[in-house]
Structure formats: C-alpha cells, structure tokens
Amino acid sequence: MKNCLWTLVVVGMMTVLNANAESYQDLEPLKLVTPEMKPELDLRNLPANPFVSKKAEVESSIETSYSDNQGLDFDFFKSKTAPGVKPYKFMDDMTFVGVPLFIAGWAIKGDKAMFRVNNKYGKENTQLLTNFKTGIDDYLQFFGPAAVVGLKLGGYEGRSDWPRLLASAALSYGIMAGFVNGIKYTAKEMRPDGSTANSWPSGHTATAFVGASLLHKEYGLTRSPWFSVAGYGMATATGVMRVLNNRHWISDVMSGAGIGILSTELGYAIGDLLFKGKGLLHNDLQLDSENPSFFGISMGVGLGSKHIDFTMDDVVDPWRFTDEDLGYDDDVDYESDETPNVTFRAATVVDAEGAYFLNKYIGIGGRLRVRAMSAKSFGQYTEYAGFNQIWGWYDVVGNGIYNIYNDNKALEDFINYTSVGGDPVEELGAYVESDHLAEFSGSLGLYFNIPINKQFSIGTKALIGRSFTQELDLDGYAYGRKKDINYHLVIDNSDIDKANTNIEYPHDTGEEYFSSWNYLTIGAKSSTTWGTGLSLTYRYKSNFAWRLFCDYDYTEKTFTMTYDPYHYLIDGLDWNAYTLVTMLSPKSGMLDPIEFKKTKKMNYFTLGLSFLINL
C-alpha cells in the first residue's frame, strides 16, 4: 500500500514540473522600467523639535552656507539677498522704546533750572561739581557704527547687505541730526559748565544710541543678543561721561538716548519700505527657551525721603560757639528759613541690571543704580551768603575789636569807615557747584519670576549692596585788598587794660587777594543698602521685553554738612590782624568751618520702565 502511494506522488510531481517548464517556453524577456523622479524637499511634515524647528535648522544652514563663508566683504554697491529670509514690512520692527525715554528727559529737565546763580562768571546757570575730565566720550559715541562696519568688512554678515545698511544708517543719522539740532537751538538750555546754550538734548548721547541701535538691528536681533548688550552698554557709558564731564544734565542724556533709538527705528522702517525683501541676509533670532535670564537698562523717577533737616543740636564741637551762635539766645529771633535744611525734588534714577536664572523661577543677579536728587531749597544760601560774609567783617572783626570798650559809637565809626573802602572785600558772592545729591549703588542678590503665560510674568527680588554719595556744594568767593590792624594790647591778670590798649583802624597792606572756598557742602558716608521690588514683564519678542517696575530701597546714612561763612577773612587779613581777631572776637569760633552730623533712615521708592534683552 505504501509503495503505491509513493508511486502516485512521484508521477504527479513529474507531471507538474513538465507542465510548468512548457508554460515558460513562450514568455518574452523581462524589461526594467525606471520611473521619472523630481528633486523635491518637503519640509512641511518634518517632526517638530521642542526648541528649534527642523525647517529653521535647514534655513539656518542655507543662510550660513551663503553668508558666513564669503570672506572679506568690500562689495559696497553689490546687492545680495539670502534665500529664505523673511522681508520686513514698513514699521514691522518698531518698538518705540525711545519715546518714553525722550518724554522722561523732557519731564525732568525743569530740575536743572532751580539755581540760576553764578556771580563769579556773570552767567545765569548752575555750576555742577565735577573733578572728572576725560575725552573718551568723544570717541566712544562711535562704538556702534565702528563695530558694525568692522564685523561686516571681516565677512561676518548681519541683517543687511552694504547698500541696504548704508541707506538705513544714513537715514537714521539724518533723522537724529534733525531732531537734535532742531530742539537744541529752539530750547536754548544752558550747559552745566555755562559754555553754550545748547544743552538739551545731548548730541553725543543721541549719536551713541543711534550707533548702538545699528549694532542691535544688524547683529543683536539676528546673530546674538550680546551685540545689543555691548552696544547699549557703551552708549550708556557715553551718556554718563557727558554728565561727569560737566557737559550735560541727566535730562539731556535721557532725551538724547530716546532720540537716538527712535531715529534708528524710523531710519530702518523707511529702509524696509524702500528695499522690501532685497538686501536681507539673516532672519531675526527665534529663542524658544522659557528661561527668563536678562540684561536691562532702566530709567525711572525716585520718590520717598526728600528732606535732610539739620538742627543746632547736630553741631560737632559745640563748645567752640556762643549760645547766640547756636541759636540758644532767647533775646535773638531766628527765622526758620535760616535753618540749614535741604529739601529735594523727585529723583532721577538710571539702572543697569541683569540676572542669570537657574530655571524659570529663581536666578542670581545684580544692579548698578544712579540716583540724582536735585535740591529744592539749596539755592537760598546763595542769596544771603554774601550778606553773611559782609557782616562777618563787621560782626567778627568790628565787635571783636571794639566790644572791649563797650562803646557803640566806636563800632558805628568802624562800620562807617569800612563802608567806604576800609573793609578787605571789593566783590564777594556765592555760586552753586553741585545742586544735587547723587547716590551710586551696586547690589547683588536673588531674583524671582512667576510666569503668567508666554508673554507676561511677575517678578520680585531681594538685594544687598553699598551706596556712595556725591556731595552738594555751594562755593563762596571774595577778592579785594588785604588789611592789617596795628594795635598795642595790654593785658592785666587775664583782663584787657582798656585804658592803655590802643587799636587802630584797619589799613591796606598794598597786597591784593582772591579767596575761593567751600561755603556750604552736604555729603554722606558710604552705607549698606537693602532693596526689593515688584515688576510686570511683557515679552514682546522672543528675546526682548518691556518691564514696568516699582522698587523699594532702604539705607541708613550719616550726613555731614560743613558751613564756612567767614573763611575769606583768613585771606583778607594779614597774620597780625587775624591773630588779634581770633583773640578778641566772641565769634572767633565762626572763623573755622562749622560741621553738622545727622544720621537719617532713608526710604526710597522708584517707579520706572526697563528695556530688557533676554539671554
């Protein structure tokens, strides 16, 4: 049975094989057909990257291969456009950050008109105190354009090709020049050094901020935010040096900065309208990181402690003075406006601030702050400084010499004599060297951030640092002919023998003198400062933001006031006469500077607006 089955299987298989072989005898040979292929790259359906999309990576590689390997670029008239770069629309890239800066400078410029006193130079302006002199600001204002041109010549391309860059820059500088010169010669604000009446706004600062904005537009927005940091940092330094060099008020600098930024944005907006998509080499950076690390420049208004009230109880070494000098004589009526007190206007505050965040919520950073408080009542001392100096001669010298006789007629004769040329003063007065109390502080600490959504966040901080103060200064001056006093003084048992004492009227020595000194100064020692604040941040671009803030700072300062009304007598009398006055005058303690000291708790509030670069 098994053999039969195997026989059937073998026969069947042979039959099938024969049939299949015969069926392929008539088939034609196989032909290979290649389908038509089109070179296409579809980027629409690539998988998304959580930080940078694949499309952006490909576009970036295309731009890099186009623009970063070109070598030195001297093609000033050749137009180049990179593929895949999004064209700008008219005013598509405007931030208007310059508008609030200009308005802030205009709003506070009235502070510089508080003291129009300067008898020394015969000009109605306030002299600011500064020993800082440098010419760096004359060159630093061109840092921005020098950096842009240097980078581009070196082949490191930014936003625009040469024709578009040069046109945008020319428009920016032209608009700035029109604004600055139009305002300067209309407002006619006197410079702090009294040289010319074209102080507001600052042309150096406006020029510096145009250059900084060029660097920001060309490289900060397209290559790295650190270019913006460098540009605006150098521009801010230029503005600060203009103030320190006694060439501009801080309001001039703020308005100049605003004009510079606004002019550049307008210049680029017109360039975008003219060139459209031509001449663009790089897209704006798109930072998708949610880390809130930042660098910012802020300007604001300072409120809070605005009084320093000295009293006679604050006098150092009161034993040098009589009760009348210190105001303790009941027979003398002392008016309140003669009390050595100072009231301040709202302060102008400028900050540079930055923080590195470890995550979305907490970071470490610091702040540099300048707070300038203009004195409101300081100028009153210029009004009676000369009065005090004249009566210093009558009071200190006249009373000192003639009160030994208890003879009012002798004092009257002395006054009549000195009023017709017998006193050593031909001209005297006082002028303001510094009308503001400026505080410079540096602080470090923790920064906190609470995100609301992708655009808005709330922040706070806790800072500690040191505060340093620049003093207010009112200077006196006097000149005339030096006087001598001949005398024969007899002292018996520590009492003056009036009968045998002979003191002559002062007479000329034939020598002229000029005396200039610190009539009144107010300063403070360095102190520890504590700070916090609350802020609302609006991130209007991926790497730039606005911030509205309210800061609170506390410090305890020891203020010192030095008052020296009769210093000119040291130069106006020769040694012989001066010695006689110091021996006999009951007001001899007034010949040396009078020092006041007062410790005061200062509470500062600052309301302001910051322009931030997200790093």
Side-chain angles (χ1 to χ4, degrees), residues 473-484:
D473 187 6
L474 181 67
D475 280 4
Y477 70 93
Y479 63 85
R481 302 179 67 85
K482 184 173 289 190
K483 303 299 181 180
D484 190 10

Side-chain angles (χ1 to χ4, degrees), residues 49 178 248 274 343 480 487 505 518 542 611:
N49 186 295
H248 280 289
L274 297 175
T343 303
Y487 59 89
Y505 286 118
N518 292 328
S542 65
F611 180 60

Side-chain angles (χ1 to χ4, degrees), residues 245-524:
N245 270 334
N246 204 23
R247 294 292 290 165
H248 280 289
W249 313 86
I250 194 167
S251 56
D252 305 340
V253 168
M254 292 177 68
S255 293
I259 289 175
I261 296 173
L262 182 61
S263 298
T264 309
E265 292 191 337
L266 289 174
Y268 268 77
I270 298 173
D272 293 338
L273 180 64
L274 297 175
F275 287 86
K276 296 182 172 59
K278 296 181 180 179
L280 292 174
L281 304 180
H282 275 278
N283 280 316
D284 285 353
L285 291 170
Q286 295 296 324
L287 303 181
D288 294 331
S289 172
E290 296 182 358
N291 189 294
S293 298
F294 72 92
F295 172 82
I297 299 174
S298 309
M299 291 190 180
V301 177
L303 308 172
S305 300
K306 296 197 296 183
H307 299 274
I308 303 177
D309 302 323
F310 293 97
T311 68
M312 294 303 177
D313 292 331
D314 299 319
V315 173
V316 179
D317 299 332
W319 52 267
R320 292 169 40 200
F321 310 101
T322 66
D323 287 346
E324 180 181 344
D325 294 332
L326 297 176
Y328 299 143
D329 192 336
D330 294 336
D331 296 332
V332 180
D333 182 20
Y334 294 93
E335 297 182 4
S336 59
D337 61 355
E338 294 184 2
T339 306
N341 301 326
V342 179
T343 303
F344 297 94
R345 285 180 167 263
T348 302
V349 182
V350 180
D351 294 344
E353 191 170 18
Y356 174 77
F357 275 76
L358 307 175
N359 51 48
K360 291 193 299 183
Y361 306 103
I362 186 168
I364 301 172
R367 181 188 70 195
L368 296 176
R369 168 164 287 178
V370 179
R371 173 186 294 270
M373 298 188 296
S374 297
K376 190 182 289 187
S377 59
F378 194 45
Q380 68 176 320
Y381 294 101
T382 63
E383 298 175 3
Y384 60 81
F387 172 83
N388 281 346
Q389 290 167 2
I390 292 174
W391 280 97
W393 172 248
Y394 294 159
D395 223 12
V396 177
V397 179
N399 278 322
I401 295 174
Y402 290 100
N403 71 349
I404 61 174
Y405 299 109
N406 291 322
D407 186 353
N408 291 329
K409 181 62 168 61
L411 178 58
E412 183 179 340
D413 290 343
F414 172 79
I415 293 175
N416 291 333
Y417 170 77
T418 56
S419 64
V420 294
D423 65 80
V425 180
E426 293 183 10
E427 184 172 344
L428 57 106
Y431 56 95
V432 177
E433 283 280 1
S434 173
D435 68 342
H436 61 275
L437 196 68
E439 294 186 21
F440 304 85
S441 63
S443 303
L444 297 172
L446 297 176
Y447 286 74
F448 304 95
N449 180 68
I450 303 174
I452 300 175
N453 53 37
K454 289 185 177 180
Q455 290 183 309
F456 289 93
S457 63
I458 296 174
T460 186
K461 56 196 170 188
L463 304 178
I464 182 173
R466 296 291 291 178
S467 171
F468 304 88
T469 304
Q470 180 195 36
E471 65 183 10
L472 297 100
D473 187 6
L474 181 67
D475 280 4
Y477 70 93
Y479 63 85
R481 302 179 67 85
K482 184 173 289 190
K483 303 299 181 180
D484 190 10
I485 301 174
N486 292 328
Y487 59 89
H488 177 73
L489 189 64
V490 178
I491 300 177
D492 184 14
N493 294 326
S494 300
D495 293 327
I496 298 176
D497 185 353
K498 299 178 182 180
N500 297 309
T501 292
N502 180 34
I503 301 176
E504 298 180 359
Y505 286 118
H507 61 274
D508 279 342
T509 64
E511 180 182 352
E512 293 185 350
Y513 77 95
F514 177 83
S515 183
S516 178
W517 72 99
N518 292 328
Y519 176 77
L520 182 68
T521 60
I522 299 177

Side-chain angles (χ1 to χ4, degrees), residues 448 457-461 533-537 547-551:
F448 304 95
S457 63
I458 296 174
T460 186
K461 56 196 170 188
L534 189 65
S535 64
L536 176 65
T537 302
R547 172 170 293 170
L548 182 66
F549 68 90
C550 177
D551 284 354

